[in-house]
Amino acid sequence: MIIDDAAAAGGEGAGRTFADPIPTALLDAPLEYILVDHARQRSVCAAFRGFIRQGYVDRAEADAVVTYLRRDVDLHHRDEEEDLFPSLLRRVLLEDDLGATLARLVADHRQSRTMIEAIIAVLARRAGPGPIRLGSAARKLLLAYAASEHHHLAAENGIVLAIARVRLTRGDLTAMSATMKDRHGAGA
Ligand SMILES: [Fe+2]
Ligand SMILES: [Fe+2]
C-alpha cells in the first residue's frame, strides 16, 4: 500500500493509509476524526499518483480503493455537509466570511462524486486476473481527482477546521460526535 508522504511526515493520521479504518474512539473528538479522514484522502491521492507513474493498478489495490471510495468518501461528505458545515454556519461571525467557501466545498463534493463514479468504473472493470492497465483517459481522470482533492483538503484543513476549532462550542462538538457515531455505526 502506498503511504502518503505528508501524513508520513507526522501529525494526526501519520502513516495512515486509506485502507486503515479510523478508531471509533476518535469520534469523541469529531474535528480530529475529520482531520484524520483527510490524511486518508491524501493517501488515496498519493496512491493514484503512484498508479499513474506505473501505468497500471494491481487487482488487490484496485479493490481496496474501490471499497474506500464506495463507503468512506460518502460518509465523510455527510460528516461535513450534515454536521460540520451547518454547525459552523450557526457560529461563524460575519467577519469569518465563510458562507461562500462552504458552498464551494459542497459543490466540490458533488464534482468529486461524479469523478469517483468514473474512477470506480475504471478500477472495478473485470478483464481477467491481471493488473488493470491505465489508458491516457484513466490517467487524466486520476490526476484530475488528486489535483482537485489537494485544493479541497487545503481549504478544509487550513480554513474550515481552523475556524471550527475556535468557534465551535463544547456543546456543538458533543452534538456532532453523537450524530457522527450514529452515522458510522459506533453507537452513542
Ligand atoms: Fe473533508
Ligand atoms: Fe469536503
Side-chain angles (χ1 to χ4, degrees):
M1 209 57 74
I2 297 165
I3 293 175
D4 173 44
D5 295 340
E12 276 296 341
R16 190 178 298 279
T17 79
F18 62 87
D20 299 325
I22 305 176
T24 51
L26 207 55
L27 286 162
D28 287 327
L31 300 182
E32 297 311 307
Y33 188 96
I34 288 172
L35 187 65
V36 170
D37 229 350
H38 287 168
R40 298 165 84 211
Q41 287 173 1
R42 282 215 178 90
S43 98
V44 92
C45 293
F48 284 0
R49 285 189 282 269
F51 298 160
I52 293 165
R53 275 195 299 276
Q54 68 190 10
Y56 65 89
V57 188
D58 286 327
R59 282 288 160 187
E61 275 203 301
D63 289 346
V65 168
V66 168
T67 300
Y68 169 82
L69 292 176
R70 280 206 173 118
R71 184 194 55 201
D72 298 303
V73 174
D74 189 54
L75 285 172
H76 178 71
H77 287 173
R78 290 183 58 204
D79 286 343
E80 292 181 337
E81 292 183 24
E82 296 175 26
D83 287 312
L84 176 62
F85 296 173
S87 307
L88 205 46
L89 279 175
R90 281 194 291 273
R91 295 288 174 209
V92 287
L93 308 178
L94 221 49
E95 72 209 39
D96 290 333
D97 196 21
L98 203 62
T101 301
L102 296 183
R104 185 172 57 75
L105 294 172
V106 171
D108 285 353
H109 290 171
R110 277 200 298 277
Q111 194 195 9
S112 117
R113 283 196 288 274
T114 302
M115 282 196 272
I116 283 170
E117 287 308 314
I119 291 167
I120 288 174
V122 170
L123 297 182
R125 209 166 44 206
R126 287 278 168 239
I132 298 159
R133 301 264 155 215
L134 298 175
S136 84
R139 289 200 299 270
K140 270 189 197 141
L141 175 64
L142 294 180
L143 193 61
Y145 179 83
S148 82
E149 274 302 299
H150 176 78
H151 291 294
H152 187 86
L153 290 167
E156 288 188 337
N157 283 354
I159 301 170
V160 178
L161 287 177
I163 294 175
R165 280 191 202 97
V166 177
R167 301 285 184 225
L168 294 188
T169 64
R170 186 164 294 277
D172 294 334
L173 295 171
T174 303
M176 268 185 77
S177 176
T179 53
M180 283 170 62
K181 281 178 182 173
D182 277 349
R183 184 173 302 116
H184 292 268

